[in-house]
Amino acid sequence: MRLTTIRKAALAVLAMGLAAGAAAQEATLRLVSAFAENGIYVQRLQPWINKFNAEGKGVLQINFIGGPKAIPTFEVGNAVKTGVVDMAMSTGAFYTNVMPESDFLKLTQIPVAEQRKNGAFDAINKVWNEKGNMQYLARMVENQPFHIYTNKKIDKPDLTGLKIRITPVYRDFFQSLNANVITTPPGEVYTALERGVVDGYGWPIGGIFDLNWQEKTKYRVDPGFYDAEVSIIMNLPAYNKLSQAQRAYLQKQLLALEAENGFWTKYAADETARQEKAGIQAIKFDAATSKAFVDKAYEVAWASAAKQSPEVAARFKPLFSPK
Ligand code: 173
């Protein structure tokens, strides 16, 4: 059948209208944080969201819902998986209830920029898509090793008789050092210290002042181990629903966020100095003991990863390790 000129013109107008309508369609993504709203991670996220919304008018917006009061820390992963929220800032240790692999991200020893080039980022996304119904979008914290903080002095890497607050990040390593471990979200650390439920806790080099833990902390054990991973994750169907323009805009802003990660190196140095000023003493081991301590941290964690998810651990390990 031949279309009349009028019909053709009418169809063209209709098509243009649809295209314009699609382009004009602004979407808003709901984002929660698994970390406290007054902490350093949300402090870093907030200006990024402001810029995102200022530059993304008519394309894409982010609505920051809040921290653990909105969705409890250990529920955030499932909220993203099921689409209760579109996006979250979290760390993998908080959503091992979605998939055990989430906690493997602490084992990366190369920058995220490198992970995007060497296939690590794609390998992560394959697992996050398939097992988590999530897209792994960007890593916004790097160069923040974890430490043991305690109120009891130790003179060797042995936590026998100590009760230590953990998340999955530290479990296998601290148990291998004979600690008694108690899992809590960050929001319960202060009270646990105050009541003597724990003698210490695991946490990265930065951020202990955010919830006033310095008041209840006497020692930090050096060296640090692993690298704190805090990232933006997104519900996969919500991600797939974005238009090409929206996805390109999101990607541009995510790369801009990662480009700010140089911040963390100075922050680590500043926070170390601040701890010292607050009277927190560094417990240090000799060089050989320090090396054995860090080596053991990685050995124990990779062994645990291999046990929990052998194929993924084998795929990730060469991609996460320095050449
Ligand atoms: O709560 C934690 O100690 C934890 O697992 C973590 C992970 C990344 C950044 C900060 C804390």
Side-chain angles (χ1 to χ4, degrees), residues 35 41 91 93-94 141 146 165-170 184-186 202-204 213 228-230:
F35 291 95
Y41 305 134
T91 184
F94 296 163
V141 176
F146 294 100
R165 171 272 174 184
I166 58 151
T167 66
V169 164
Y170 324 92
T184 83
W203 193 259
W213 300 344
E229 169 268 326
V230 178

